[in-house]
Amino acid sequence: MDTKKAWEFFTEHKALFAVFFVALILRFVYFFSFATSGYYADGHVYTKIMHFLFNGVPIEKGIHLSWAPGYSIFLWAIAFFVGENLIWYKIVQAIISALMVFLIYLIGRKAFDEKTGLVAAAIWAVYPYSMLFTELIMSETLFMFMMALTLLAVLNAVEKPSKLRIFVSGIFLGSLALVRASAKMLFIVVPAWLFFNKKWNGALTAIAIVGALVMIMPYIFFLFTVYGQFIFIDHVGEHTLLMTSFEDFEEINPSTDQSLIYNETLDSANQKPFILYFESVIKLLSNPGKLLANVFDRVTLFFWVETFMAGQPT
């Protein structure tokens, strides 16, 4: 794109770029005004896994590699270019959070119309939690960005079906599961939904699932080399789709600390991962409310609900 065309594109989308700059400014104002250490339990785990995967630093007791590795890889990529620096982690997260404005605009325009896309982008720009998570060493910001990219890829594959587009949408669905394990069933749920709604035929649906497995299975095999058995990514955890929730654990021993329950349950799951997996499937299927809550996750519900339930691609 030459300079003239770039300027024409900018002038045609002035409102959208204005929303982007507002989003970027708000995130940096928040960052410099309310900055904290940004490290909580999740950040500790992600950085430890990063050091194990890329630097060979022994993993400490209580940290399990079945956590979705995508965010650890993301941190490593930043550290590779600018060094391991907490400020740079936050700056990059602020930038990709602001860039979400463009993705949300495209989603709204594809699913509804241009005005809807612009309004949705503006809401995201000032949404408080979108700013909060940029300052935390947690996977939410990257996950929301990947969720938007995935949704765009799926919408594109529905609008103009081709084997390549559908395979790419599967790649994105698999990548999403590697960033946050609560999305690991979407690579089955989304293609199945599109199949039953006659958007894709059986062969195209299978292509999407294969694309997802291409992304997911290498890490599953890696876990096998480490633990000597097949373990599902983050098979038990607070934000996992197929989980026995903390509330269920507390019914067994209400006085036990949640973090201890989490670690003990991971150890237990390692002994019978497939049994626990299918037990959890059955349990969740018997509770549709909990199943939906876990599939769509608390910070990404509006993406899937608005696009796949409230509207259709144009």
Side-chain angles (χ1 to χ4, degrees), residues 164-179:
L164 178 59
R165 288 192 181 97
I166 290 170
F167 183 77
V168 169
S169 71
I171 291 285
F172 274 103
L173 285 165
S175 301
L176 199 61
L178 293 177
V179 174

Side-chain angles (χ1 to χ4, degrees), residues 37-105:
S37 69
Y39 267 107
Y40 294 94
D42 286 10
H44 175 75
V45 173
Y46 288 126
T47 52
K48 293 295 183 182
I49 292 176
M50 175 188 73
H51 286 301
F52 175 82
L53 293 177
F54 298 103
N55 302 321
V57 177
I59 203 80
E60 64 185 58
K61 187 176 181 181
I63 294 179
H64 202 278
L65 293 174
S66 62
W67 275 57
Y71 188 67
S72 296
I73 297 170
F74 171 75
L75 295 178
W76 171 83
I78 298 172
F80 180 81
F81 289 102
V82 295
E84 190 174 351
N85 188 308
L86 184 62
I87 293 177
W88 275 108
Y89 293 157
K90 296 180 180 182
I91 288 174
V92 172
Q93 290 192 152
I95 292 171
I96 67 172
S97 177
L99 288 172
M100 280 276 292
V101 161
F102 295 107
L103 300 180
I104 292 173
Y105 166 77

Side-chain angles (χ1 to χ4, degrees), residues 125-183:
V126 298
Y127 182 52
Y129 275 102
S130 68
M131 294 177 239
L132 168 67
F133 283 119
T134 63
E135 208 264 323
L136 303 176
I137 308 305
M138 298 174 71
S139 64
E140 273 79 354
T141 298
L142 178 63
F143 180 65
M144 288 184 281
F145 185 78
M146 289 299 300
M147 175 68 85
L149 284 175
T150 302
L151 187 48
L152 275 175
V154 172
L155 286 172
N156 189 48
V158 170
E159 190 176 35
K160 300 175 181 178
S162 73
K163 291 179 181 179
L164 178 59
R165 288 192 181 97
I166 290 170
F167 183 77
V168 169
S169 71
I171 291 285
F172 274 103
L173 285 165
S175 301
L176 199 61
L178 293 177
V179 174
R180 198 169 176 87
S182 50

